[in-house]
């Protein structure tokens, strides 16, 4: 019961700042210069190893959006949030509490 199912990502990835679990692939970065109210964040087209919190409407810099907060599946730390409806109809994941994995040296 409660066994963690962690996905191992192949290739360069970003990981949880706290427990180093893989969260997203570098290939899935949509933007590296996304600015949230709390500072710099990364925008991804998809992520792994997170679970979502409650859906809520939140006022962002780009207007009102329906979002859910996302948390690391391993350590439970806050990772960022997901747009339920993205700016152009896509679902985007915004990750703040991640860092480039060991294999990523270009940032
Ligand atoms: Zn973690």
């Amino acid at each position: 019961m409660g066994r963690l199912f962690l996905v191992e990502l192949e290739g360069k990835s970003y990981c949880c700042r706290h427990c180093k679990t893989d969260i997203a692939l570098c290939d899935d970065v949509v933007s590296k210069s996304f600015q949230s109210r709390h500072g710099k964040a990364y925008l991804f087209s998809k992520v792994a190893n997170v679970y979502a919190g409650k859906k809520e409407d939140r006022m962002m810099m780009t207007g009102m959006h329906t979002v859910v907060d996302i948390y690391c599946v391993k350590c439970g730390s806050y990772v960022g949030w997901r747009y339920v409806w993205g700016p152009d109809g896509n679902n985007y994941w915004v990750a703040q509490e991640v860092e480039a994995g060991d294999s990523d040296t270009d940032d």
Side-chain angles (χ1 to χ4, degrees):
M1 206 175 84
R3 192 168 178 272
L4 288 176
F5 180 70
L6 294 176
V7 182
E8 233 177 88
L9 300 178
E10 296 281 334
K12 286 174 145 193
S13 60
Y14 288 89
C15 59
C16 172
R17 195 175 277 178
H18 305 281
C19 72
K20 313 299 182 204
T21 295
D22 287 344
I23 297 291
L25 280 170
C26 291
D27 287 349
D28 294 326
V29 172
V30 177
S31 171
K32 283 187 179 183
S33 55
F34 186 83
Q35 285 291 330
S36 78
R37 274 185 305 186
H38 306 291
K40 194 179 173 224
Y42 299 95
L43 202 59
F44 295 98
S45 57
K46 63 174 189 252
V47 301
N49 299 326
V50 298
Y51 67 91
K54 219 174 71 198
K55 192 153 90 167
E56 64 177 42
D57 292 328
R58 193 174 298 168
M59 186 56 100
M60 315 292 256
M61 292 193 303
T62 49
M64 187 70 93
H65 294 284
T66 304
V67 300
V68 289
D69 284 333
I70 54 174
Y71 303 89
C72 172
V73 83
K74 189 172 180 190
C75 70
S77 297
Y78 173 77
V79 173
W81 68 90
R82 178 170 76 91
Y83 287 107
V84 178
W85 299 108
D88 55 9
N90 289 318
N91 289 347
Y92 285 126
W93 305 77
V94 181
Q96 257 188 299
E97 298 296 318
V98 295
E99 60 188 22
D102 293 339
S103 55
D104 186 358
T105 51
D106 71 358
D107 200 316

